[in-house]
Amino acid sequence: MPGRNTTFGLIPAIVFLFATANAWAWQEPKIPQSLAELDDTNLLAASENWRKMAADSRRKVADVVCLVPDRETFLEAIASWDDKTFFPVLIDDPELNLKFISAFRPRRVVRFPGKSEPVPNDKIWSVALTSALRGILPAQEKPRGLIPGNILWFQQPPRSPGIVLARAGDDAIAAAALAAGRKQGLALWPEDKTWSDVLSIDDASLRARAAEVIMTDIKANADKLGDDVDFITLMGDLPYRYNTPQGVNCLDDLLGRNLQDQKAPRWAYTGRIRGSLRQQIYAVMCGLFLQPSNAILFNGYGPTDPKSKGYPLSTATSRLDSFGLRSELTSDGTLAAWRKRFFPSNAAGLVFVNSSGEPTAFNLQGSTGTTWDVPWSVPTRIHIIHSFSAADASDPYTIAGRWLANGAYGYFGSVNEPYLQSFRSAGLITDCLLRGLPWAASVRQNPGRELFGQPWRLMVFGDPLMTVEPPKSREPRVSSMATANWPTFKPEPLPDESADPMARLAWAVRQSLVQASGASPQEAASIRDIILTASKISRDKLPDNFRPVRDELVASLSLESGQLNEAISLARDVPRTEISPALARMIESAAAAKFYQSLAKGDLEDALPAWRALVTLCPRTDLREVLTKPVVTLSTTPVRKRLWIRTLESIQSDTTAGDELKNWAGQLLAGAEKIK
């Protein structure tokens, strides 16, 4: 690997790919439905090594979730893991913690005893690196002081065949947890570009070379699959696109390549975890500790659509059922069937979707869904055949962005037009997953047997090493000696309404966690009681920094319990300037579900408050228009016309609404008054 010239090997590889991709358009290729049909001997040989390394580095999972207040305490908590046992650790967050705990269902939710001192950004890398190492080693071998350097790597097993690359600062925190959790490497990745930057070919190839240099530095064998390093995780605010003569490709699919040899297999698969510190930690903990128990497969291709020939979902469904994962196949892939399946929320831990579309829209049978049709979700992994769905996953108004913001911790989709045949079939992916292959190796194509195995336009989100385990053979959790004396959240009686507002809010937060963990109904407070307690607290009586906690707790619990009106009412009750992006997205998720459910019943009166909440919060006119067309269609009777006009007038009279929104509502009002 040392001395490999990647810069000059990249352009020929791209030209080769473009020529063969166009050739494919004139063929009737056979789409493999299983590993046997794929017949990739390199992948099969590597998978044996992955299984062995995973078994050798396996640990017991303690039946506990630990909560911490900040990043420094988080690092101290993961440092309490050892070589035999580990457990989930989360930073306080009403939405993400409720999602994770509801899915994990621990016996105990505990608080880390104590709070660590703040560490400045220029010092946090050493703390993160040391915490990762301490979280892997037995108690007697843990270092007491900070370890120097920029790289953590174990020359000898037990370890995983992966490495995490991250900047310092907040991006180092979740990276350290993933490295410790997988017993894999961790390296500092200096980067002067961000997610929004589009790289040149030369800049992209330099980054591919930089990954190889790290392999040289750690003296790892990393020339092919099946050796020391086969998986790379990029963590945080790093670039993901680069320009080619034929358009934008995904940087993640360029890393881990021998670009001088177009026919050589890749030497690593790359996955990515991005977002805020809390979002990164959520994705890491989900990948480490959660397993899907059920699946939804939704076929947006019609029965006569030629695309269905190579991409049936029935093969995957039968495999999942035999494996023990409850699966539901929807062949009536209409928008009405989608909303019936996914609203008010997605309850499946694994989702496959066949569709096509754009960043904010996806085509189904005879209809089109939009960002508004992406549901609130339990923690899930999703594979979606769809053009441009991941064009900008940082934007929650795009398809991938909304899935990742609403609960997905794994996602596979396209950053640019990829061509249908660049996707593996659901049959092949499920065969890979159910045979123990990691997430990234299951969804990505490889050079040689698969035409689109060259650097291309598809992107893996989530821990690339996460797998799917058979439900019947999942190991039972154990008690944790390390956390035995840590403060535990327990059921508490409902506080009186005259109690101090902060005390009532603290009770609501604690009891939401107890409720999510699965405490018996006889002991735990009901979600309804918790919502009412929090919503009745006057925001004016809370310190400024605790008002978002109250608001997001009410919204999260409302969505989790299906009591959508509680979340929608926050659009009216919370001042516009105090609605955070996270709260806006939660309100929108509740309002979209309510809106489409009401429209399906023809109930315009019930739909309009949800419509108003959506258009008031959404900054995008194109997505507002999608919501407005069915309202106009229904506003044909005198009663409905009056309701529609009053709703538009309420927006125009809203002193907190911006001029752009008021002008838009005014145009609609002029049209509404002409309705006969």
Side-chain angles (χ1 to χ4, degrees), residues 125-400:
W125 176 260
S126 294
V127 179
L129 197 72
T130 304
S131 295
L133 177 59
R134 295 186 73 224
I136 296 173
L137 296 176
Q140 65 273 17
E141 298 179 20
K142 294 179 186 289
R144 294 187 177 181
L146 294 179
I147 60 172
N150 292 332
I151 298 176
L152 171 65
W153 178 253
F154 288 87
Q155 290 296 337
Q156 300 297 325
R159 55 169 163 74
S160 294
I163 191 166
V164 187
L165 307 179
R167 284 174 164 170
D170 276 357
D171 288 344
I173 310 306
L178 184 57
R182 291 277 178 221
K183 296 185 179 179
Q184 62 181 319
L186 174 63
L188 187 65
W189 183 257
E191 178 60 75
D192 60 354
K193 303 291 186 181
T194 66
W195 175 268
S196 61
D197 291 307
V198 182
L199 304 175
S200 68
I201 288 180
D202 286 343
D203 283 343
S205 63
L206 286 173
R207 284 156 178 81
R209 174 60 181 154
E212 294 180 351
V213 170
I214 290 175
M215 301 306 108
T216 302
D217 289 345
I218 63 177
K219 298 181 174 57
N221 294 318
D223 292 306
K224 61 183 184 303
L225 295 180
D227 53 20
D228 290 341
V229 179
D230 288 343
F231 296 89
I232 298 169
T233 306
L234 299 177
M235 187 72 69
D237 187 16
L238 304 173
Y240 71 102
R241 298 169 294 178
Y242 66 97
N243 276 319
T244 77
Q246 287 75 42
V248 169
N249 277 12
C250 180
L251 175 66
D252 301 30
D253 200 27
L254 182 67
L255 301 187
R257 302 280 195 165
N258 180 353
L259 296 176
Q260 282 189 303
D261 184 352
Q262 296 168 358
K263 296 182 180 180
R266 66 172 81 236
W267 60 266
Y269 297 93
T270 300
R272 179 182 294 254
I273 295 174
R274 63 159 316 282
S276 68
L277 171 62
R278 287 166 173 77
Q279 289 171 322
Q280 290 179 29
I281 289 172
Y282 167 82
V284 167
M285 294 300 150
C286 287
L288 289 175
F289 295 104
L290 295 185
Q291 287 288 330
S293 59
N294 62 333
I296 288 177
L297 301 95
F298 195 94
N299 189 10
Y301 302 151
T304 60
D305 192 325
K307 295 192 291 292
S308 291
K309 184 176 180 181
Y311 293 88
L313 296 178
S314 55
T315 302
T317 303
S318 60
R319 286 199 178 114
L320 291 165
D321 287 338
S322 299
F323 191 72
L325 294 181
R326 304 185 310 277
S327 65
E328 300 177 40
L329 171 60
T330 300
S331 297
D332 172 22
T334 61
L335 187 54
W338 173 277
R339 290 170 180 164
K340 183 177 180 181
R341 175 63 61 206
F342 286 113
F343 282 161
S345 64
N346 165 52
L350 184 62
V351 176
F352 288 88
V353 178
N354 285 350
S355 69
S356 60
E358 302 169 358
T360 62
F362 56 104
N363 299 317
L364 301 175
Q365 294 178 23
S367 50
T368 301
T370 69
T371 302
W372 302 123
D373 292 293
V374 176
W376 184 258
S377 180
V378 299
T380 192
R381 312 173 193 182
I382 177 170
H383 177 275
I384 181 167
I385 296 179
H386 177 126
S387 302
F388 302 102
S389 75
D392 183 4
S394 70
D395 181 356
Y397 290 100
T398 64
I399 303 300

Side-chain angles (χ1 to χ4, degrees), residues 503-516:
R504 289 161 60 204
L505 178 60
W507 175 90
V509 170
R510 291 193 299 268
Q511 295 314 292
S512 69
L513 301 172
V514 172
Q515 214 285 335

Side-chain angles (χ1 to χ4, degrees), residues 37 59 208 247 249 260 270 328 347 448 453 528 643 673:
E37 290 183 15
R59 284 184 278 196
N249 277 12
Q260 282 189 303
T270 300
E328 300 177 40
R528 184 64 182 164
L643 288 170
E673 290 172 341

Side-chain angles (χ1 to χ4, degrees), residues 24 32 38 40 43 421-424 428 443-454:
W24 191 313
L38 181 64
D40 187 333
L43 178 61
Q421 294 88 356
S422 66
F423 290 94
R424 282 182 167 178
L428 175 55
V443 296
R444 278 254 188 239
Q445 290 192 10
N446 290 322
R449 295 288 179 181
E450 297 171 282
L451 185 59
F452 284 86
Q454 300 299 328

Side-chain angles (χ1 to χ4, degrees), residues 491 514 518-525:
V514 172
S520 68
Q522 293 77 19
E523 295 181 310

Side-chain angles (χ1 to χ4, degrees), residues 490-503:
K490 297 179 180 179
E492 303 171 37
L494 189 69
D496 189 83
E497 289 192 17
S498 62
D500 178 74
M502 278 297 297

